[in-house]
Amino acid sequence: MTLLHQFKNDYFISYAVVDDEKAAGVETGWVSNLKLSLECELSKAIGRRGQLEGFWDRADIARNRPLESQIREALRSTAVFVLVLSPGYLNSPWCPQELQWFREAVATQPRADSRIFVVDLGSVTEAERRRRFEGYLSYSFYESDKDGRRRLLGYPEPDPKRHPAYYDSVMT
């Protein structure tokens, strides 16, 4: 059951599979951890568990049906589109297409662009991010050191004691 009853999916996370690869010695990929963290924090915010329904390709894709039609169908009935921005996302044949399909699906609905959220991993240049995603709500999941090098928050897996900034970004 979804929180927003007019939709089948409260959210759809669009990401490059390479960004969810497990680092050596880690049980869960970074994007999978992000999904779990978002679900936990959103459940706390609404005060109930089990009210959110998201489309997650690893669980919701049927192998006996065409992939494109399943994704398009899911996007037509999705409230919020979350894109995990990385070089992998930009180089994926699927990810930019998912964004385009979502934009087409919601084009006639009010505040369509406000339903797209960018999770910025900090690995795409600022100029490229602005050029492609200007105007979308963006959330930084990286820190820069004094030399300007960026470090992904919560990598290889989030730990509340070592990565408080990761949890701050999730709760924003």
Side-chain angles (χ1 to χ4, degrees):
M1 183 170 142
T2 63
L3 181 64
L4 303 167
H5 303 294
Q6 69 268 37
F7 299 100
K8 181 179 177 190
N9 304 302
D10 291 304
Y11 64 87
F12 181 108
I13 299 177
S14 179
Y15 68 99
V17 173
V18 70
D19 293 323
D20 200 36
E21 293 291 326
K22 299 173 197 164
V26 174
E27 297 279 326
T28 308
W30 192 91
V31 179
S32 293
N33 280 320
L34 174 68
K35 175 187 177 292
L36 294 171
S37 297
L38 287 171
E39 287 175 349
C40 178
E41 292 306 319
L42 289 169
S43 292
K44 288 177 188 176
I46 62 174
R48 295 190 67 197
R49 292 177 73 201
Q51 295 298 299
L52 297 169
E53 192 67 43
F55 182 86
W56 185 242
D57 61 349
R58 296 194 177 184
D60 297 323
I61 296 288
R63 297 198 185 276
N64 62 340
R65 292 185 47 219
L67 183 60
E68 181 178 331
S69 64
Q70 290 181 76
I71 291 173
R72 280 178 169 265
E73 181 181 318
L75 290 166
R76 279 192 295 272
S77 59
T78 292
V80 173
F81 186 87
V82 177
L83 73 88
V84 179
L85 180 58
S86 70
Y89 186 93
L90 297 177
N91 291 317
S92 165
W94 284 99
C95 294
Q97 187 63 65
E98 290 169 350
L99 175 59
Q100 182 60 37
W101 290 334
F102 181 75
R103 291 183 74 214
E104 290 169 4
V106 301
T108 61
Q109 298 172 9
R111 301 181 51 196
D113 283 348
S114 69
R115 293 168 46 192
I116 299 170
F117 297 87
V118 178
V119 172
D120 187 354
L121 302 188
S123 50
V124 171
T125 67
E126 185 68 23
E128 183 71 6
R129 187 189 61 72
R130 259 194 247 118
R131 184 177 75 77
R132 291 186 180 221
F133 304 102
E134 185 83 57
Y136 296 132
L137 294 170
S138 183
Y139 298 88
S140 298
F141 274 80
Y142 63 90
E143 292 177 323
S144 298
D145 66 16
K146 63 182 184 301
D147 298 321
R149 289 182 299 234
R150 293 176 175 180
R151 188 181 77 233
L152 180 61
L153 298 177
Y155 184 81
E157 66 184 350
D159 176 330
K161 292 179 182 169
R162 291 182 25 237
H163 305 121
Y166 169 86
Y167 294 93
D168 291 343
S169 291
V170 169
M171 291 187 283
T172 303

